[in-house]
Amino acid sequence: MGEKSVFEAYLLAVTPLGFLGGTHFYLNRPHVGLLYLCTAGVFGIGVIVDLFRIPGLVRDANTRRLHKNDPTVDLPQEKSVIDAYLMWFPLGLLGLHHIYLKNSNWALLYLVTGGLFCVGWIVDAIWMVSMVRTLNRRLSDPHAISLFYPSIRTNHTVNCFLILVSDAETGLLDRLGSNTSPLRGGREGKKKKEEKEGKVEMDPADIITQKDTKSIVGAETMRSTPRQDGIDDRQIVADGNKSTKREKEMRATVALGLSPLGILGAHHWYLRRSTWGFLYMATVGLGGIGWIIDWFRLVLLQRRCNAIARGEKDKKEKTVDDAYVLWFPWGLFGVHQFYLGRHTWGFIYLLTVGIFGVGWLSDAVRIPKLVKESNQRRIESKKDVDIDTNITPPRDDYDTSLTLNLGDENEAGGGLDTKRSRTSQQEKASGRPTTEQTVAAAGDNH
């Protein structure tokens, strides 16, 4: 189709066809058009919003049309904040906006729980702009695609592989002096002939999609541009294709922690704290008390999880806030003592109800000290293990080599004894009588 017209788009929007998605079908936005068709223009709200943004939609549609003919033309943002909000209200309770933002797992969770019992749905309204901006950045940055966006990572890797294969093939053909290639389909001669005649046609094999163009451009850049820090970008892509730990989002942590699923430890499961997840499931959020306390430390838990994923923090390190969560009121049974690795005191607290409450109350003041001591013990034990594992085992030939060296260097004393023992062993091996036997026989004759 030709260039889109603002007048024609408005003509469709102000008529009943606008409620059936006619404007969006006209602008080659079939997914949004289907949404309007099923919801009568998102219950009329979408049609009203479209009246203010049609010029921008027409401009984006024409830009995409130009990009098909000229891949150098920059494309507009793939995802729109306005579209995301239209899908958020009210069908976001069923996860529609997460489908639009390519979060299929969250969409399924919202469908089952009604938008995390409306809590996640409300949180998404606050974080919507950030979610759309993050997704667009991932879709436009080839490094972010390979490292953080699994749904596009495979295509990016395939494109990099094809480029590397093409490079290897070109080098081989240069050595053989041939211009014909199975991968090129024998079209090199035809292209050169057309270039001489002034007839250049685009090869269908050269027509690629938007995402492939970005991936290949990123791969070409990685091949041709060396990094100043000496790190190979192709190795970064290879490492990104492995099962690396992605950093957790604040929005997801808050939504899960504040929702009723948080009482079952959903936010702890999300933050890779499986032990705490099991504990919350078994005790219903530590009797609900731990779950309420977590409302005020969700930001801390999320940042700590990302620090562990980046390798900046040890996962086994004990923290003061976790110890206090376990101390009240479950510390009467020694739960915080078990957490800090003080199992003997844990059993004492369990049998005496926190030493009749006195030990439990005293721990309220000294928990920071106990946490520090626990981490210090863990560090010292780790150092001891490293020292033990680095000890070189004794070699069997150590004494023999030392004896031989001493015999060679020192001709007196022990060196003579060493030479004698070595000569005696050689005489025994040859079957001749040893020097000691000859001397003994001479003594008997006398």
Side-chain angles (χ1 to χ4, degrees), residues 297-367:
R297 65 179 189 134
L298 288 173
V299 176
L300 177 62
L301 293 177
Q302 185 262 351
R303 291 179 178 175
R304 186 181 299 158
C305 173
N306 290 337
I308 293 173
R310 293 190 298 267
E312 300 172 357
K313 196 174 185 65
D314 190 355
K315 184 178 181 179
K316 296 182 179 180
E317 182 180 350
K318 308 301 180 182
T319 59
V320 175
D321 54 299
D322 284 340
Y324 271 115
V325 170
L326 296 173
W327 169 81
F328 182 81
W330 308 103
L332 287 168
F333 305 103
V335 177
H336 64 296
Q337 298 285 358
F338 286 111
Y339 168 71
L340 296 174
R342 296 159 52 91
H343 300 96
T344 302
W345 283 98
F347 281 112
I348 294 175
Y349 275 47
L350 179 63
L351 297 176
T352 61
V353 191
I355 309 180
F356 308 103
V358 178
W360 176 68
L361 291 175
S362 64
D363 286 348
V365 180
R366 65 193 192 112
I367 274 182

Side-chain angles (χ1 to χ4, degrees), residues 221-424:
T221 304
M222 287 186 288
R223 279 192 303 144
S224 59
T225 305
R227 288 170 60 101
Q228 297 180 356
D229 53 9
I231 301 176
D232 190 358
D233 284 329
R234 288 174 291 184
Q235 183 62 33
I236 295 178
V237 174
D239 294 338
N241 290 333
K242 298 177 182 178
S243 57
T244 55
K245 292 182 178 179
R246 288 184 57 186
E247 293 191 3
K248 300 302 181 179
E249 300 178 2
M250 180 62 67
R251 173 203 63 82
T253 304
V254 173
L256 291 171
L258 296 181
S259 70
L261 293 179
I263 202 171
L264 300 177
H267 55 296
H268 288 293
W269 288 106
Y270 175 71
L271 296 175
R272 304 188 188 98
R273 291 161 53 93
S274 56
T275 303
W276 284 84
F278 277 117
L279 181 62
Y280 272 48
M281 288 184 65
T283 61
V284 192
L286 292 175
I289 298 175
W291 176 50
I292 295 174
I293 295 176
D294 284 349
W295 294 352
F296 303 96
R297 65 179 189 134
L298 288 173
V299 176
L300 177 62
L301 293 177
Q302 185 262 351
R303 291 179 178 175
R304 186 181 299 158
C305 173
N306 290 337
I308 293 173
R310 293 190 298 267
E312 300 172 357
K313 196 174 185 65
D314 190 355
K315 184 178 181 179
K316 296 182 179 180
E317 182 180 350
K318 308 301 180 182
T319 59
V320 175
D321 54 299
D322 284 340
Y324 271 115
V325 170
L326 296 173
W327 169 81
F328 182 81
W330 308 103
L332 287 168
F333 305 103
V335 177
H336 64 296
Q337 298 285 358
F338 286 111
Y339 168 71
L340 296 174
R342 296 159 52 91
H343 300 96
T344 302
W345 283 98
F347 281 112
I348 294 175
Y349 275 47
L350 179 63
L351 297 176
T352 61
V353 191
I355 309 180
F356 308 103
V358 178
W360 176 68
L361 291 175
S362 64
D363 286 348
V365 180
R366 65 193 192 112
I367 274 182
K369 179 183 177 182
L370 295 176
V371 171
K372 184 178 180 181
E373 292 175 353
S374 176
N375 290 327
Q376 188 65 29
R377 287 195 305 271
R378 181 183 56 81
I379 294 173
E380 292 176 355
S381 63
K382 185 177 180 180
K383 289 182 179 179
D384 294 339
V385 172
D386 293 340
I387 293 174
D388 293 339
T389 54
N390 290 331
I391 294 177
T392 305
R395 296 175 55 185
D396 295 338
D397 58 345
Y398 177 76
D399 296 335
T400 305
S401 61
L402 179 61
T403 304
L404 294 176
N405 291 333
L406 290 175
D408 294 336
E409 295 175 2
N410 302 319
E411 296 294 338
L416 295 175
D417 295 336
T418 304
K419 287 185 176 181
R420 290 172 182 173
S421 61
R422 201 184 314 163
T423 304
S424 177

Side-chain angles (χ1 to χ4, degrees), residues 107-127:
L108 180 61
L109 180 62
Y110 274 46
L111 179 63
V112 175
T113 61
L116 287 177
F117 307 98
C118 294
V119 176
W121 180 66
I122 296 173
V123 171
D124 287 348
I126 302 173
W127 258 278

